[in-house]
Amino acid sequence: MTNIPEIRPGQSIELLKELHILTRDGKLNQDSRRKLKQVYHLYNFIEPLLNEVVKDPEKQFSLVDHGAGKSYLGFIIYDLFFKALKRGEIYGIETREELVKKSEDLSKRLHFERMKFLNLSVEESITSQKLPQQVDIVTALHACDTATDDAIKFALEKKARFVVLVPCCQAEVASVLRKNKGKNLGKSVLTEIWRHPIHTREFGSQITNVLRCLELESHGYQVTVTELIGWEHSMKNELIVAQFKDLPKEHPRRRLESLLNELNLEDLKFRFLE
Protein backbone atom coordinates (compact mmCIF):
# COMPACT_ATOMS: atom_id res chain seq x y z
CA MET A 1 0.00 0.00 0.00
CA THR A 2 2.83 2.41 0.83
CA ASN A 3 4.11 1.93 -2.71
CA ILE A 4 0.82 3.22 -4.21
CA PRO A 5 0.64 6.95 -3.35
CA GLU A 6 -2.75 7.36 -5.07
CA ILE A 7 -4.50 5.24 -2.45
CA ARG A 8 -5.62 7.23 0.56
CA PRO A 9 -4.67 6.17 4.10
CA GLY A 10 -7.09 3.70 5.63
CA GLN A 11 -8.75 2.65 2.39
CA SER A 12 -9.88 -0.97 2.21
CA ILE A 13 -7.61 -2.89 -0.14
CA GLU A 14 -10.16 -5.71 -0.34
CA LEU A 15 -12.84 -3.25 -1.47
CA LEU A 16 -10.58 -1.78 -4.15
CA LYS A 17 -9.94 -5.29 -5.43
CA GLU A 18 -13.66 -6.08 -5.48
CA LEU A 19 -14.29 -2.90 -7.48
CA HIS A 20 -11.46 -3.90 -9.86
CA ILE A 21 -9.53 -0.75 -9.05
CA LEU A 22 -6.68 -2.88 -7.74
CA THR A 23 -5.64 -6.11 -9.40
CA ARG A 24 -5.97 -9.34 -7.43
CA ASP A 25 -2.31 -9.08 -6.40
CA GLY A 26 -2.89 -5.54 -5.11
CA LYS A 27 -1.32 -3.61 -7.96
CA LEU A 28 -2.51 -0.52 -9.80
CA ASN A 29 -2.17 -0.60 -13.60
CA GLN A 30 -2.71 2.33 -15.93
CA ASP A 31 -6.38 1.56 -16.53
CA SER A 32 -7.15 1.16 -12.82
CA ARG A 33 -5.15 4.30 -12.00
CA ARG A 34 -7.46 6.23 -14.32
CA LYS A 35 -10.51 4.59 -12.71
CA LEU A 36 -9.27 5.53 -9.23
CA LYS A 37 -8.81 9.13 -10.37
CA GLN A 38 -12.44 9.15 -11.59
CA VAL A 39 -13.65 7.76 -8.27
CA TYR A 40 -11.86 10.48 -6.32
CA HIS A 41 -13.13 13.14 -8.68
CA LEU A 42 -16.73 12.10 -8.08
CA TYR A 43 -16.17 11.76 -4.33
CA ASN A 44 -14.72 15.28 -4.21
CA PHE A 45 -18.13 16.65 -5.25
CA ILE A 46 -19.92 14.77 -2.48
CA GLU A 47 -17.47 15.11 0.42
CA PRO A 48 -18.25 18.83 1.11
CA LEU A 49 -21.96 17.96 1.33
CA LEU A 50 -21.20 15.21 3.83
CA ASN A 51 -19.13 17.62 5.89
CA GLU A 52 -22.14 19.93 6.06
CA VAL A 53 -24.54 17.30 7.34
CA VAL A 54 -22.18 15.98 10.05
CA LYS A 55 -21.52 19.33 11.73
CA ASP A 56 -23.90 18.40 14.52
CA PRO A 57 -22.02 15.61 16.36
CA GLU A 58 -25.22 14.26 17.92
CA LYS A 59 -27.20 13.98 14.69
CA GLN A 60 -27.64 10.72 12.87
CA PHE A 61 -27.65 11.15 9.10
CA SER A 62 -28.28 9.15 5.96
CA LEU A 63 -27.40 9.01 2.30
CA VAL A 64 -29.65 7.20 -0.18
CA ASP A 65 -28.16 6.07 -3.50
CA HIS A 66 -30.79 5.33 -6.16
CA GLY A 67 -30.16 2.96 -9.05
CA ALA A 68 -27.17 1.76 -7.04
CA GLY A 69 -26.17 -1.11 -9.33
CA LYS A 70 -23.16 -2.75 -7.66
CA SER A 71 -23.20 0.09 -5.09
CA TYR A 72 -19.84 1.26 -6.38
CA LEU A 73 -20.47 4.82 -5.18
CA GLY A 74 -21.93 3.81 -1.81
CA PHE A 75 -18.98 1.56 -0.94
CA ILE A 76 -16.42 4.24 -1.81
CA ILE A 77 -18.25 6.89 0.23
CA TYR A 78 -18.58 4.53 3.19
CA ASP A 79 -14.92 3.55 3.01
CA LEU A 80 -13.62 7.13 2.73
CA PHE A 81 -16.05 8.91 5.04
CA PHE A 82 -18.57 6.86 7.05
CA LYS A 83 -16.14 4.18 8.26
CA ALA A 84 -13.99 6.51 10.36
CA LEU A 85 -16.94 8.61 11.53
CA LYS A 86 -18.70 5.62 13.12
CA ARG A 87 -22.21 7.04 12.57
CA GLY A 88 -24.61 7.58 9.68
CA GLU A 89 -26.14 5.12 7.25
CA ILE A 90 -26.01 4.52 3.50
CA TYR A 91 -28.95 2.93 1.67
CA GLY A 92 -28.49 1.46 -1.80
CA ILE A 93 -31.73 1.16 -3.82
CA GLU A 94 -31.59 -1.30 -6.71
CA THR A 95 -34.19 -3.30 -8.68
CA ARG A 96 -31.89 -6.21 -9.60
CA GLU A 97 -32.07 -8.68 -6.73
CA GLU A 98 -28.79 -10.41 -7.58
CA LEU A 99 -26.87 -7.12 -7.30
CA VAL A 100 -28.54 -6.34 -3.97
CA LYS A 101 -27.45 -9.77 -2.68
CA LYS A 102 -23.85 -9.29 -3.86
CA SER A 103 -23.68 -5.88 -2.20
CA GLU A 104 -25.06 -7.32 1.04
CA ASP A 105 -22.45 -10.09 0.97
CA LEU A 106 -19.61 -7.65 0.31
CA SER A 107 -20.68 -5.27 3.07
CA LYS A 108 -20.72 -8.16 5.55
CA ARG A 109 -17.23 -9.29 4.50
CA LEU A 110 -15.92 -5.75 4.89
CA HIS A 111 -17.80 -5.18 8.17
CA PHE A 112 -19.53 -2.10 6.71
CA GLU A 113 -22.38 -2.50 9.19
CA ARG A 114 -24.17 0.76 8.39
CA MET A 115 -24.75 -0.03 4.73
CA LYS A 116 -28.21 -1.32 3.80
CA PHE A 117 -29.44 -2.54 0.42
CA LEU A 118 -33.06 -2.64 -0.67
CA ASN A 119 -34.53 -4.47 -3.65
CA LEU A 120 -36.94 -1.68 -4.65
CA SER A 121 -37.65 0.61 -7.55
CA VAL A 122 -37.02 4.30 -6.91
CA GLU A 123 -40.77 4.86 -7.02
CA GLU A 124 -41.42 2.09 -4.46
CA SER A 125 -38.79 3.53 -2.14
CA ILE A 126 -40.76 6.77 -1.74
CA THR A 127 -43.36 5.00 0.43
CA SER A 128 -41.22 2.15 1.81
CA GLN A 129 -41.17 1.85 5.60
CA LYS A 130 -37.62 0.48 5.37
CA LEU A 131 -36.22 3.97 4.80
CA PRO A 132 -36.12 6.90 7.24
CA GLN A 133 -38.80 9.57 7.02
CA GLN A 134 -36.14 12.19 6.36
CA VAL A 135 -32.77 11.78 4.64
CA ASP A 136 -29.86 14.16 4.23
CA ILE A 137 -28.35 13.36 0.83
CA VAL A 138 -29.90 11.69 -2.22
CA THR A 139 -27.74 10.54 -5.13
CA ALA A 140 -28.75 9.08 -8.48
CA LEU A 141 -25.97 8.43 -10.95
CA HIS A 142 -27.02 7.29 -14.41
CA ALA A 143 -30.48 6.23 -13.23
CA CYS A 144 -32.14 5.50 -16.55
CA ASP A 145 -35.23 7.09 -18.08
CA THR A 146 -37.67 8.40 -15.44
CA ALA A 147 -35.76 6.89 -12.49
CA THR A 148 -33.92 10.21 -12.08
CA ASP A 149 -37.28 11.99 -11.88
CA ASP A 150 -38.45 9.48 -9.27
CA ALA A 151 -35.23 10.15 -7.31
CA ILE A 152 -36.08 13.87 -7.33
CA LYS A 153 -39.57 13.10 -6.03
CA PHE A 154 -38.02 10.88 -3.35
CA ALA A 155 -35.71 13.73 -2.33
CA LEU A 156 -38.60 16.18 -2.15
CA GLU A 157 -40.74 13.77 -0.14
CA LYS A 158 -37.88 13.04 2.27
CA LYS A 159 -36.92 16.74 2.58
CA ALA A 160 -33.33 16.01 1.55
CA ARG A 161 -30.80 18.75 2.19
CA PHE A 162 -28.75 17.82 -0.86
CA VAL A 163 -29.49 16.11 -4.17
CA VAL A 164 -26.70 14.89 -6.49
CA LEU A 165 -27.75 13.74 -9.96
CA VAL A 166 -25.90 12.53 -13.03
CA PRO A 167 -28.90 12.07 -15.35
CA CYS A 168 -29.00 9.28 -17.88
CA CYS A 169 -31.11 8.74 -21.00
CA GLN A 170 -34.72 9.91 -20.75
CA ALA A 171 -37.14 9.16 -23.59
CA GLU A 172 -40.38 10.47 -22.10
CA VAL A 173 -39.99 14.14 -23.03
CA ALA A 174 -38.66 13.28 -26.50
CA SER A 175 -41.69 11.04 -27.14
CA VAL A 176 -44.09 13.90 -26.31
CA LEU A 177 -42.10 16.30 -28.52
CA ARG A 178 -42.29 13.74 -31.31
CA LYS A 179 -46.03 13.22 -30.85
CA ASN A 180 -46.81 16.95 -31.07
CA LYS A 181 -44.25 17.82 -33.72
CA GLY A 182 -46.72 18.04 -36.62
CA LYS A 183 -49.01 20.60 -35.06
CA ASN A 184 -46.10 22.54 -33.56
CA LEU A 185 -44.34 23.09 -36.90
CA GLY A 186 -46.94 25.58 -38.05
CA LYS A 187 -47.08 27.40 -34.72
CA SER A 188 -43.48 28.21 -33.92
CA VAL A 189 -40.16 28.33 -35.73
CA LEU A 190 -38.60 26.97 -32.53
CA THR A 191 -39.93 23.55 -33.54
CA GLU A 192 -37.01 23.41 -35.99
CA ILE A 193 -34.80 22.73 -32.96
CA TRP A 194 -36.27 19.22 -32.70
CA ARG A 195 -37.70 18.62 -36.19
CA HIS A 196 -35.14 15.93 -37.13
CA PRO A 197 -35.26 12.68 -35.12
CA ILE A 198 -31.68 12.91 -33.82
CA HIS A 199 -32.39 16.46 -32.67
CA THR A 200 -35.63 15.33 -31.02
CA ARG A 201 -33.66 12.87 -28.94
CA GLU A 202 -30.88 15.29 -28.02
CA PHE A 203 -33.14 18.27 -27.39
CA GLY A 204 -35.47 16.05 -25.39
CA SER A 205 -32.57 15.06 -23.16
CA GLN A 206 -31.41 18.64 -22.77
CA ILE A 207 -34.84 20.09 -21.97
CA THR A 208 -35.51 17.25 -19.51
CA ASN A 209 -32.60 18.37 -17.37
CA VAL A 210 -33.69 22.01 -17.64
CA LEU A 211 -37.14 21.00 -16.38
CA ARG A 212 -35.57 18.99 -13.54
CA CYS A 213 -33.55 22.00 -12.41
CA LEU A 214 -36.62 24.22 -12.46
CA GLU A 215 -38.58 21.60 -10.53
CA LEU A 216 -35.95 21.57 -7.78
CA GLU A 217 -35.82 25.37 -7.74
CA SER A 218 -39.62 25.49 -7.48
CA HIS A 219 -39.25 23.61 -4.17
CA GLY A 220 -36.72 26.03 -2.70
CA TYR A 221 -33.44 24.43 -3.82
CA GLN A 222 -30.37 26.25 -5.06
CA VAL A 223 -29.18 24.36 -8.14
CA THR A 224 -25.72 24.13 -9.70
CA VAL A 225 -25.11 22.40 -13.03
CA THR A 226 -21.63 21.44 -14.12
CA GLU A 227 -19.72 18.84 -16.09
CA LEU A 228 -18.56 15.71 -14.36
CA ILE A 229 -15.09 15.90 -15.87
CA GLY A 230 -13.16 12.66 -15.99
CA TRP A 231 -16.15 10.31 -15.71
CA GLU A 232 -15.60 8.51 -18.99
CA HIS A 233 -17.94 5.55 -18.64
CA SER A 234 -20.84 7.46 -20.20
CA MET A 235 -21.48 10.31 -22.61
CA LYS A 236 -24.02 11.56 -20.05
CA ASN A 237 -21.63 13.86 -18.24
CA GLU A 238 -23.91 16.45 -16.64
CA LEU A 239 -23.81 16.86 -12.87
CA ILE A 240 -26.73 18.52 -11.06
CA VAL A 241 -26.18 19.42 -7.40
CA ALA A 242 -29.08 20.93 -5.44
CA GLN A 243 -29.05 22.29 -1.90
CA PHE A 244 -32.23 23.12 -0.02
CA LYS A 245 -32.17 26.77 1.06
CA ASP A 246 -35.89 27.48 1.20
CA LEU A 247 -35.54 29.99 -1.65
CA PRO A 248 -38.59 31.71 -3.22
CA LYS A 249 -40.55 29.07 -5.11
CA GLU A 250 -43.17 30.92 -7.15
CA HIS A 251 -40.96 32.41 -9.88
CA PRO A 252 -39.26 29.13 -10.92
CA ARG A 253 -42.64 27.39 -10.76
CA ARG A 254 -44.12 29.93 -13.17
CA ARG A 255 -41.10 29.56 -15.47
CA LEU A 256 -41.47 25.78 -15.38
CA GLU A 257 -45.15 25.93 -16.25
CA SER A 258 -44.53 28.47 -19.03
CA LEU A 259 -41.80 26.30 -20.55
CA LEU A 260 -44.04 23.22 -20.56
CA ASN A 261 -46.80 25.24 -22.26
CA GLU A 262 -44.43 26.83 -24.79
CA LEU A 263 -43.09 23.46 -25.91
CA ASN A 264 -46.51 21.75 -25.89
CA LEU A 265 -45.39 19.48 -23.08
CA GLU A 266 -48.55 19.94 -21.03
CA ASP A 267 -48.91 16.14 -20.92
CA LEU A 268 -45.92 16.12 -18.57
CA LYS A 269 -47.16 18.54 -15.95
CA PHE A 270 -47.78 15.56 -13.70
CA ARG A 271 -44.07 14.74 -13.95
CA PHE A 272 -42.55 18.11 -13.14
CA LEU A 273 -45.22 20.24 -11.47
CA GLU A 274 -46.95 18.01 -8.91
Side-chain angles (χ1 to χ4, degrees), residues 21-156:
I21 289 173
L22 288 180
T23 61
R24 283 297 167 193
D25 55 359
K27 294 181 179 178
L28 194 68
N29 58 35
Q30 190 59 38
D31 182 59
S32 55
R33 183 172 275 108
R34 184 169 58 251
K35 186 182 292 186
L36 186 61
K37 183 179 178 181
Q38 292 166 352
V39 168
Y40 287 158
H41 185 77
L42 179 57
Y43 176 74
N44 286 341
F45 282 105
I46 298 174
E47 185 181 27
L49 314 184
L50 290 164
N51 285 326
E52 279 294 313
V53 302
V54 301
K55 282 183 176 178
D56 180 354
E58 301 301 318
K59 182 183 182 299
Q60 288 300 318
F61 66 99
S62 55
L63 181 150
V64 177
D65 183 29
H66 284 294
K70 297 177 181 178
S71 292
Y72 197 103
L73 175 65
F75 278 114
I76 288 293
I77 292 175
Y78 192 99
D79 193 35
L80 292 177
F81 194 91
F82 282 67
K83 186 170 67 176
L85 197 65
K86 302 190 185 303
R87 62 188 172 101
E89 294 179 317
I90 291 181
Y91 294 83
I93 309 298
E94 172 56 47
T95 57
R96 288 166 288 184
E97 189 175 2
E98 69 278 9
L99 295 183
V100 172
K101 181 67 168 61
K102 285 181 180 178
S103 294
E104 287 176 336
D105 291 344
L106 179 57
S107 67
K108 287 176 184 175
R109 290 206 308 275
L110 297 173
H111 304 290
F112 286 6
E113 295 90 355
R114 287 169 286 112
M115 289 193 79
K116 300 179 180 179
F117 306 94
L118 300 176
N119 182 207
L120 298 169
S121 69
V122 182
E123 187 175 18
E124 289 168 342
S125 71
I126 294 172
T127 55
S128 173
Q129 299 300 308
K130 296 178 180 178
L131 287 149
Q133 288 188 335
Q134 185 171 359
V135 302
D136 295 281
I137 301 177
V138 173
T139 61
L141 306 184
H142 303 134
C144 284
D145 205 16
T146 59
T148 297
D149 302 298
D150 291 333
I152 291 172
K153 285 181 171 48
F154 175 92
L156 297 176

